[in-house]
Amino acid sequence: MFPLPNLSTEQWIMIFGPLGLFVCISLFSIWDAFRREFPSILEKMAWIQLSVLVPFLGGVAYLIFGRKRGQKIR
């Protein structure tokens, strides 16, 4: 196995902080798309696929454009 580099706590935070943010944006966009009702099921699946296949950029695109297209299910 590869040994872990000997980094300080601040360096680990600088590595995993943005990575965690990217993962959270992607997971939230997938979760939110499942919970919303879109004009068609194909549009809903397209947003989910975009968020899964292009993790960070797809999630950001969904948050900017896709959330406005879907309505919350009550």
Side-chain angles (χ1 to χ4, degrees):
M1 283 283 231
F2 299 105
L4 289 175
N6 190 14
L7 299 175
S8 69
T9 305
E10 293 83 15
Q11 290 172 326
W12 283 113
I13 290 172
M14 288 181 65
I15 292 170
F16 286 114
L19 182 65
L21 179 66
F22 294 160
V23 169
C24 287
I25 288 173
S26 297
L27 290 177
F28 177 76
S29 63
I30 295 166
W31 176 74
D32 192 60
F34 270 115
R35 293 183 38 162
R36 290 186 180 267
E37 190 170 319
F38 288 88
S40 73
I41 191 70
L42 293 176
E43 183 177 352
K44 182 176 194 169
M45 295 312 297
W47 282 116
I48 292 171
Q49 285 179 348
L50 183 67
S51 296
V52 169
L53 297 176
V54 187
F56 178 67
L57 295 177
V60 170
Y62 170 76
L63 292 176
I64 294 171
F65 304 112
R67 284 190 79 180
K68 297 174 187 172
R69 304 239 345 126
Q71 296 177 4
K72 275 191 169 182
I73 299 172
R74 299 188 197 276

